[in-house]
Amino acid sequence: MSELRVLKRVKKIDRAAWFGQTTLQKVINGVLILLLLACLVPVFKWAVIDAQIRGSERCVTEGACWVFIKVRLLTFAFGFYETHELWRPVFVLSMWTLALVTIFRASYNFTLKILPFFITLLPLLSWGLLDGRWFGLPYIETAKWGGLLLSLMITLVSLSMAFPLGLLLALGRMSRLPLIKAGSVAFIELWRGVPLIAVLFMSSVMLPLVLPPGTEVDKLIRVFVGVSLFTSAYLAEVIRSGLNGVPKGQGEAASALGLGARQRLFLVVLPQALQAVIPSLVNSCISLFKDTSLVVVVGMFDLLGTVQQANTDPYWLGYSTEGYMFAGLIYWGVCFALSRFSLQLEKVRNV
Amino acid sequence: MTLAIEMKHIEKSYGDFHALKNVSLSLEAGKKLVVCGPSGSGKSTLIRCINGLESFDEGDVLIWGERLEPKKMQKLRSEMGMVFQQFNLFPHLTVLENLTLAPIWVQNTPKASAEARAKEMLERVKMIDHVHKFPSQLSGGQQQRIAIARALCMNPKIMLFDEPTSALDPEMIKEVLDVMLELAVTGMTMVCVTHEMGFARQAADRIIFMDAGEIIEEGTPEEFFSHPKTDRAQLFLSQILHQA
């Protein structure tokens, strides 16, 4: 009801805003709109009107050749994962989607209770299923995982590890013990000061030199660890800002009721702090998802990587515009969904 | 008679500022003490020292004869209720959850009986219709009554009030004072920092007047209101009564 009323009011204001302009403003706005159309019309013509999607051969039309995307769609989605085992990545991604939907629908306090299970169980289950060996399924090495699957796995698994670590770092930075405080500050400042691309290089090139010869850690696990450590530093600062924002009286009221330090934190202060920083947390998630495209530099094929690789296929030469546009749309779609998700989470808050 | 609260020669400074100077007082079980004085005189610091929210540099606080020390702090606090000027209800929890949080986590009360007791207390402060609301949906006076109920859910033997009506609109003060007066006749031991002289006259057994970190006058409401001994108290009273 009230939302409808607000919408109506907004419409009314818009109309008033247009007719209330001076002639000069109308002219400027009109020209701007024409310019915008002039840019969009050719794009629309290329991408939709002149485009071709039927068939599986190279296109003959002037417009976009979406056939290229169509024949490569599985690779863009899952990389070089065995085709007859594709139910595994599909299952894993559905699991994560279900978890996100649960968080989306459940009350905030319930979410806080199930979150620890999600962030410990889901990464392990995902790894087990995709890798296969733990469950007696055919082994599929991580080098074959790719496409959007890889981008999402790096994001979700790294976030699951980075969140608890970031929380610890935030608490550490606020600690009264000088050693813990200094350690946390040093960790955060070190990782925030290094570009992600350097972290990825370090984890794939330098780490094996440091480790004793013979020990081999899977490249993807090294990427998980590197990205987690990197992200945890950012999350730590976001969480700390939330903790600082909770009024002092809240902790005092909890103390006065006889709650201990840990209960104070987990029952009273932290729930309020996290709720206040949901937009910043989602912001970090979006950045991380887009940054996963950097794993190309260590020879992994995430969504962007598979697209770039397909672009170099001699048979499909000349269709890189379509490829990049498709990748861009997918990245945009996921990020947009995330930001809607965050808006909804904010609305649920009662503070 | 048993002493509920005993403060012995408390000294407290914030840097150069001397907040409490050699403050001593004692309160028998079941008595009501009102603390008043101009702002910055150390009233809040005094009451916050009683349950250890504020640390002190020297001296001792004894609750039921037990020294207030870090080890016993949590236990002693759970037996003392405190009501704050800013209510400090937990905004992310409903009224009922606010009331049952501490009984469940500190006293290990089963959820069902914690909720039964919470509803009893809500009945007492006449807020039973608002069980499932969030604090932000309530007025200041309602929030403060919930805060009192929250403290009562822990079955405290002592209640501390730190300017409970100072942040309220005038028309809401009465509803909170009424709840406090009802509580007073039940025989609860109470310490109350307040400027509500009507409440002090009606409920207090004893009044303490503080200025610049010292207790400069102490007596029954009768003595204090009709024959204040010090000029400072006289001035304070004339200003406060003019205002009213």
Side-chain angles (χ1 to χ4, degrees):
Chain A
M1 264 286 280
S2 64
E3 271 175 28
L4 211 78
R5 221 175 292 147
V6 170
L7 266 180
K8 270 184 187 161
R9 183 164 301 167
V10 169
K11 259 189 191 163
K12 220 177 265 174
I13 293 169
D14 275 349
R15 218 172 294 150
W18 178 256
F19 289 110
Q21 296 178 112
T22 64
T23 320
L24 179 66
Q25 282 172 324
K26 274 183 197 165
V27 168
I28 293 175
N29 280 329
V31 168
L32 285 178
I33 289 170
L34 282 179
L35 272 178
L36 190 67
L37 283 176
C39 296
L40 283 179
V41 166
V43 173
F44 185 74
K45 189 165 176 290
W46 175 81
V48 181
I49 299 173
D50 293 343
Q52 185 188 334
I53 194 156
R54 241 173 269 164
S56 53
E57 312 276 306
R58 279 186 69 93
C59 306
V60 285
T61 51
E62 291 267 298
C65 183
W66 299 120
V67 181
F68 166 56
I69 305 296
K70 195 175 76 181
V71 299
R72 290 290 183 140
L73 203 56
L74 271 185
T75 318
F76 294 161
F78 304 110
F80 312 105
Y81 209 85
E82 309 290 349
T83 327
H84 52 277
E85 294 288 338
L86 278 184
W87 66 271
R88 280 147 62 174
V90 171
F91 186 82
V92 165
L93 291 180
S94 322
M95 225 163 50
W96 282 97
T97 313
L98 202 68
L100 283 178
V101 170
T102 315
I103 291 174
F104 187 73
R105 305 218 106 182
S107 78
Y108 178 70
N109 289 316
F110 184 67
T111 299
L112 281 184
K113 273 179 214 147
I114 50 174
L115 206 58
F117 294 103
F118 280 173
I119 60 180
T120 47
L121 279 179
L122 284 181
L124 289 175
L125 258 175
S126 307
W127 180 269
L129 269 172
L130 291 175
D131 176 88
R133 280 175 297 183
W134 293 350
F135 296 115
L137 295 164
Y139 169 49
I140 294 170
E141 64 265 38
T142 54
K144 289 189 173 169
W145 311 6
L148 185 61
L149 170 72
L150 186 67
S151 306
L152 287 173
M153 285 324 291
I154 294 175
T155 310
L156 294 167
V157 174
S158 303
L159 269 179
S160 302
M161 298 200 275
F163 186 75
L165 185 58
L167 178 58
L168 284 180
L169 285 169
L171 294 175
R173 194 166 187 168
M174 292 170 82
S175 165
R176 259 174 296 175
L177 305 171
L179 204 64
I180 292 179
K181 184 174 174 152
S184 305
V185 172
F187 184 97
I188 291 169
E189 297 305 338
L190 176 74
W191 286 93
R192 279 207 305 177
V194 183
L196 182 58
I197 203 162
V199 174
L200 291 171
F201 267 128
M202 289 284 277
S203 70
S204 73
V205 183
M206 300 276 288
L207 202 64
L209 299 178
V210 183
L211 290 172
T215 39
E216 214 175 295
V217 182
D218 191 285
K219 199 206 266 173
L220 184 57
I221 292 188
R222 280 179 278 151
V223 168
F224 280 159
V225 172
V227 175
S228 304
L229 294 178
F230 179 81
T231 311
S232 68
Y234 283 90
L235 292 185
E237 289 296 278
V238 170
I239 294 171
R240 187 171 67 101
S241 75
L243 290 170
N244 279 335
V246 177
K248 223 175 119 218
Q250 290 292 313
E252 288 181 350
S255 297
L257 285 166
L259 292 162
R262 220 166 305 153
Q263 293 171 330
R264 236 159 28 222
L265 176 68
F266 286 106
L267 297 173
V268 176
V269 179
L270 196 57
Q272 296 181 50
L274 290 181
Q275 213 160 24
V277 295
I278 286 172
S280 309
L281 285 174
V282 173
N283 203 17
S284 298
C285 298
I286 290 178
S287 305
L288 173 60
F289 175 65
K290 291 190 293 185
D291 284 350
T292 54
S293 55
L294 290 172
V295 295
V296 176
V297 301
V298 294
M300 307 195 90
F301 292 98
D302 72 321
L303 175 57
L304 193 64
T306 49
V307 168
Q308 271 176 339
Q309 208 217 13
N311 286 342
T312 60
D313 183 337
Y315 181 76
W316 290 104
L317 229 44
Y319 292 135
S320 54
T321 316
E322 284 86 339
Y324 285 127
M325 202 168 213
F326 173 76
L329 265 177
I330 299 295
Y331 277 112
W332 180 82
V334 172
C335 295
F336 184 69
L338 269 175
S339 82
R340 294 278 104 185
F341 181 68
S342 122
L343 267 184
Q344 188 63 32
L345 284 180
E346 278 172 69
K347 256 186 230 156
V348 185
R349 50 183 288 179
N350 311 297
V351 180
Chain B
M1 253 187 146
T2 4
L3 283 183
I5 301 170
E6 201 177 354
M7 299 181 95
K8 291 180 183 166
H9 311 292
I10 302 289
E11 296 277 346
K12 161 98 188 166
S13 305
Y14 299 101
D16 287 341
F17 180 68
H18 210 162
L20 292 178
K21 296 174 194 159
N22 193 22
V23 168
S24 297
L25 68 86
S26 55
L27 188 67
E28 293 89 18
K31 296 286 183 194
K32 282 91 194 147
L33 175 71
V34 162
V35 183
C36 62
S39 64
S41 59
K43 309 173 302 259
S44 279
T45 311
L46 173 93
I47 199 168
R48 288 160 61 88
C49 282
I50 297 177
N51 71 351
L53 282 185
E54 207 77 63
S55 61
F56 37 87
D57 307 329
E58 271 168 61
D60 262 328
V61 172
L62 300 149
I63 309 293
W64 306 111
E66 271 187 274
R67 241 183 110 226
L68 189 70
E69 51 190 20
K71 254 193 228 159
K72 290 184 199 149
M73 192 84 86
Q74 223 182 313
K75 182 183 153 279
L76 288 174
R77 275 175 179 167
S78 69
E79 296 166 359
M80 267 185 284
M82 180 144 187
V83 175
F84 298 86
Q85 185 178 358
Q86 299 297 337
F87 331 134
N88 293 346
L89 291 177
F90 305 132
H92 61 299
L93 300 177
T94 63
V95 166
L96 190 64
E97 288 165 335
N98 261 282
L99 267 63
T100 54
L101 185 77
I104 289 174
W105 290 88
V106 179
Q107 294 175 331
N108 296 315
T109 317
K111 198 176 171 202
S113 49
E115 285 183 352
R117 175 157 176 86
K119 285 179 181 159
E120 212 178 291
M121 291 304 124
L122 286 174
E123 201 89 62
R124 201 155 142 189
V125 299
K126 301 184 183 62
M127 286 295 293
I128 191 72
D129 297 336
H130 305 279
V131 205
H132 297 296
K133 287 194 181 158
F134 284 93
S136 57
Q137 296 168 298
L138 302 171
S139 73
Q142 291 174 322
Q143 288 194 46
Q144 194 61 298
R145 283 187 281 154
I146 298 289
I148 294 173
R150 177 174 72 178
L152 290 177
C153 278
M154 293 294 283
N155 242 328
K157 284 175 274 177
I158 300 171
M159 282 288 284
L160 309 174
F161 293 87
D162 187 5
E163 304 208 30
T165 55
S166 302
L168 295 176
D169 288 342
E171 69 262 36
M172 290 170 186
I173 292 178
K174 189 175 174 295
E175 65 187 54
V176 172
L177 288 181
D178 283 347
V179 168
M180 290 167 64
L181 281 171
E182 269 173 47
L183 193 61
V185 296
T186 62
M188 176 76 71
T189 311
M190 288 164 73
V191 180
C192 186
V193 174
T194 186
H195 289 151
E196 294 300 327
M197 290 303 126
F199 172 80
R201 218 184 270 269
Q202 242 180 302
D205 296 299
R206 207 139 46 91
I207 292 189
I208 277 178
F209 180 74
M210 291 185 75
D211 188 32
E214 281 177 291
I215 297 178
I216 59 171
E217 208 168 320
E218 189 171 354
T220 62
E222 185 77 7
E223 291 166 359
F224 181 69
F225 287 117
S226 38
H227 317 286
K229 283 171 256 171
T230 56
D231 292 346
R232 189 68 191 84
Q234 263 166 23
L235 182 68
F236 176 78
L237 277 176
S238 72
Q239 275 167 347
I240 242 186
L241 296 178
H242 260 291
Q243 218 178 50

